[in-house]
Amino acid sequence: MASECEGIQYGRKRNASLHAGRDESTKSNNRRKIYQKVLDPAILEWSYEQVSKKKGGNTKGIGEETLDSYSKDTILSVSRSLKDHSFRFKPIRRVGIPKPNGEKRPLGIPGPRDKVIQKAMATVLEEIYENKFSNNNHGFRPNRGTHTAIKTVTG
């Protein structure tokens, strides 16, 4: 009887490990597909346009690079460096924003190239996960926030 139980347990573990391997393979394929979308020049170009529309979009990071220096060649170069895994985020520029009490709040400012990549990543992930979130969640979501939460609660 004891060996029979051990056999059942072993079988469950074995099946679980086979399924886990399949799940890992699926996860790996999904990650690759997501990464392929991020390095797509069309997504990077759209991300550039979105970042450049924002007030602080052209703010310098740690270097002298700005979005003004961006071109199609730059976007293709970034896409290639993402594809061959040679892309590295640059260090962020740290500044202190004055607070009413006299202290400073630290703020990290990434360079424009990094902002474009971050926007591309956020766009691709948002496309995947946005429809999975509950309609009751309002934090850090597009076209939602404190005001929409209050409006939902108060009717």
Short mmCIF file of all heavy atoms in Angstrom, two decimals, residues 28-38 124:
data_model
loop_
_atom_site.label_atom_id
_atom_site.label_comp_id
_atom_site.label_asym_id
_atom_site.label_seq_id
_atom_site.Cartn_x
_atom_site.Cartn_y
_atom_site.Cartn_z
N SER A 28 8.17 31.23 -22.42
CA SER A 28 9.35 31.69 -23.16
C SER A 28 8.95 32.18 -24.55
O SER A 28 9.42 33.22 -25.01
CB SER A 28 10.36 30.55 -23.27
OG SER A 28 11.48 30.96 -23.99
N ASN A 29 8.06 31.45 -25.22
CA ASN A 29 7.58 31.87 -26.54
C ASN A 29 6.81 33.18 -26.44
O ASN A 29 6.95 34.05 -27.29
CB ASN A 29 6.70 30.79 -27.16
CG ASN A 29 7.51 29.62 -27.67
OD1 ASN A 29 8.69 29.75 -27.97
ND2 ASN A 29 6.88 28.46 -27.74
N ASN A 30 5.99 33.31 -25.39
CA ASN A 30 5.24 34.55 -25.20
C ASN A 30 6.18 35.73 -24.98
O ASN A 30 5.97 36.82 -25.51
CB ASN A 30 4.27 34.42 -24.03
CG ASN A 30 3.09 33.54 -24.36
OD1 ASN A 30 2.82 33.26 -25.53
ND2 ASN A 30 2.41 33.06 -23.34
N ARG A 31 7.23 35.51 -24.17
CA ARG A 31 8.21 36.58 -23.92
C ARG A 31 8.89 36.99 -25.22
O ARG A 31 9.10 38.16 -25.47
CB ARG A 31 9.23 36.14 -22.89
CG ARG A 31 8.73 36.28 -21.48
CD ARG A 31 9.84 36.03 -20.47
NE ARG A 31 9.34 35.05 -19.53
CZ ARG A 31 9.86 33.86 -19.31
NH1 ARG A 31 10.95 33.49 -19.92
NH2 ARG A 31 9.31 33.03 -18.46
N ARG A 32 9.22 36.00 -26.03
CA ARG A 32 9.86 36.30 -27.33
C ARG A 32 8.93 37.13 -28.21
O ARG A 32 9.37 38.08 -28.85
CB ARG A 32 10.25 35.02 -28.05
CG ARG A 32 11.70 34.69 -27.88
CD ARG A 32 12.15 33.54 -28.77
NE ARG A 32 12.72 32.53 -27.90
CZ ARG A 32 12.17 31.38 -27.59
NH1 ARG A 32 11.04 31.02 -28.10
NH2 ARG A 32 12.75 30.55 -26.77
N LYS A 33 7.66 36.76 -28.24
CA LYS A 33 6.69 37.49 -29.06
C LYS A 33 6.54 38.93 -28.56
O LYS A 33 6.48 39.86 -29.36
CB LYS A 33 5.32 36.79 -29.03
CG LYS A 33 5.29 35.52 -29.83
CD LYS A 33 3.94 34.84 -29.70
CE LYS A 33 3.94 33.49 -30.38
NZ LYS A 33 2.66 32.78 -30.19
N ILE A 34 6.50 39.10 -27.25
CA ILE A 34 6.42 40.44 -26.68
C ILE A 34 7.66 41.24 -27.06
O ILE A 34 7.56 42.38 -27.50
CB ILE A 34 6.25 40.37 -25.14
CG1 ILE A 34 4.87 39.82 -24.79
CG2 ILE A 34 6.46 41.74 -24.51
CD1 ILE A 34 4.70 39.46 -23.32
N TYR A 35 8.82 40.64 -26.91
CA TYR A 35 10.08 41.31 -27.22
C TYR A 35 10.13 41.68 -28.70
O TYR A 35 10.58 42.77 -29.06
CB TYR A 35 11.26 40.42 -26.83
CG TYR A 35 12.57 41.15 -26.81
CD1 TYR A 35 12.83 42.12 -25.85
CD2 TYR A 35 13.56 40.89 -27.75
CE1 TYR A 35 14.04 42.80 -25.82
CE2 TYR A 35 14.76 41.55 -27.73
CZ TYR A 35 15.00 42.51 -26.76
OH TYR A 35 16.19 43.19 -26.74
N GLN A 36 9.65 40.79 -29.57
CA GLN A 36 9.62 41.07 -31.01
C GLN A 36 8.77 42.30 -31.30
O GLN A 36 9.11 43.11 -32.17
CB GLN A 36 9.08 39.87 -31.79
CG GLN A 36 10.01 38.68 -31.82
CD GLN A 36 11.30 38.97 -32.54
OE1 GLN A 36 11.34 39.64 -33.55
NE2 GLN A 36 12.40 38.47 -31.97
N LYS A 37 7.66 42.45 -30.58
CA LYS A 37 6.81 43.63 -30.76
C LYS A 37 7.52 44.90 -30.31
O LYS A 37 7.43 45.93 -30.97
CB LYS A 37 5.49 43.48 -29.99
CG LYS A 37 4.54 42.50 -30.63
CD LYS A 37 3.24 42.45 -29.86
CE LYS A 37 2.28 41.48 -30.50
NZ LYS A 37 0.98 41.49 -29.84
N VAL A 38 8.24 44.83 -29.20
CA VAL A 38 8.94 46.01 -28.67
C VAL A 38 10.00 46.48 -29.65
O VAL A 38 10.18 47.68 -29.85
CB VAL A 38 9.56 45.72 -27.29
CG1 VAL A 38 10.48 46.85 -26.86
CG2 VAL A 38 8.47 45.50 -26.25
N VAL A 124 3.23 47.85 -25.47
CA VAL A 124 3.05 46.42 -25.79
C VAL A 124 2.43 45.69 -24.60
O VAL A 124 1.48 44.92 -24.77
CB VAL A 124 4.39 45.78 -26.20
CG1 VAL A 124 4.28 44.27 -26.28
CG2 VAL A 124 4.86 46.35 -27.54
#
